[in-house]
Amino acid sequence: MNTKILALGLLSLALGSSGCRNTGKHTSSQLQSIGLVVPKAARITIDRLPEILKNVQAGRTQLDFTGICGNGTDCIYFMQENGKFYIDFEAMSKEQLPYLDSLKQFAKEHGYPIVGTTYNNTPVDYDHLQYAPVLSLKVNTDIDSIVKVGKQIECTIFRNNDRTVYEIVP
């Protein structure tokens, strides 16, 4: 679990300047022009998520979790523990904070236990909390079911649809 927290912390730090929220001041081409290699994240629609999660489950990825992010505020992470998946959402920006309540309500309506936690990451643009809050929906289910839950969250809470293109993170 400590490795997972460290990995998510590093991921959040990296995303704070690029990636999901794309709040960095430099474009990929600007960074490449000064010699920094900036890998492009894979992009998928929600129908391709099961194959990504199968790779995670089979250990063919660096980490035992992955996430999707379409517009910078809708980043959800598919976490794996003992072969089962659950979903985490970290509110790194003040724009994401209201979604914590929406996700709590969603979890309550669907009977999913929730756990509030943190990865000890410093929020990007608010300071009333020392660390960015994380809401963990303990769905603990198989790939097909977690994809359905993720799709429900993306559609009902974040107003995305089947055509939304997501970056895979990390």
Side-chain angles (χ1 to χ4, degrees):
M1 188 59 134
N2 287 340
T3 304
K4 197 178 291 185
I5 291 171
L6 177 62
L8 281 170
L10 292 172
L11 172 67
S12 295
L13 180 63
L15 290 176
S17 61
S18 65
C20 218
R21 280 170 293 289
N22 200 18
T23 57
K25 299 199 184 316
H26 302 289
T27 66
S28 293
S29 60
Q30 289 171 323
L31 292 173
Q32 288 170 346
S33 72
I34 60 171
L36 295 175
V37 177
V38 181
K40 276 200 144 190
R43 298 174 65 81
I44 64 163
T45 51
I46 200 81
D47 62 317
R48 291 204 36 228
L49 184 58
E51 68 188 76
I52 303 296
L53 293 178
K54 285 176 187 170
N55 285 330
V56 170
Q57 193 171 52
R60 293 187 290 259
T61 57
Q62 286 182 311
L63 304 169
D64 61 350
F65 71 93
T66 193
I68 59 173
C69 189
N71 63 27
T73 57
D74 60 350
C75 303
I76 59 174
Y77 298 94
F78 296 86
M79 312 298 289
Q80 180 186 215
E81 192 169 2
N82 299 323
K84 299 291 185 179
F85 287 90
Y86 60 96
I87 293 176
D88 277 4
F89 174 78
E90 181 177 27
M92 284 295 292
S93 71
K94 62 183 169 188
E95 190 177 17
Q96 292 175 302
L97 288 171
Y99 292 110
L100 292 169
D101 288 334
S102 300
L103 284 164
K104 286 177 187 174
Q105 184 61 37
F106 175 88
K108 182 178 178 183
E109 289 171 6
H110 292 88
Y112 302 133
I114 56 172
V115 174
T117 188
T118 185
Y119 303 137
N120 296 334
N121 293 317
T122 304
V124 174
D125 61 359
Y126 63 89
D127 59 10
H128 69 281
L129 297 173
Q130 181 179 5
Y131 298 119
V134 174
L135 187 65
S136 188
L137 282 75
K138 298 297 185 180
V139 183
N140 297 324
T141 192
D142 60 29
I143 290 173
D144 291 336
S145 297
I146 203 66
V147 168
K148 288 177 187 173
V149 174
K151 183 176 178 177
Q152 278 184 299
I153 289 170
E154 290 293 348
C155 290
T156 60
I157 294 176
F158 297 110
R159 304 290 182 226
N160 290 330
N161 60 47
D162 290 340
R163 294 180 308 278
T164 300
V165 176
Y166 300 96
E167 284 187 7
I168 298 297
V169 290

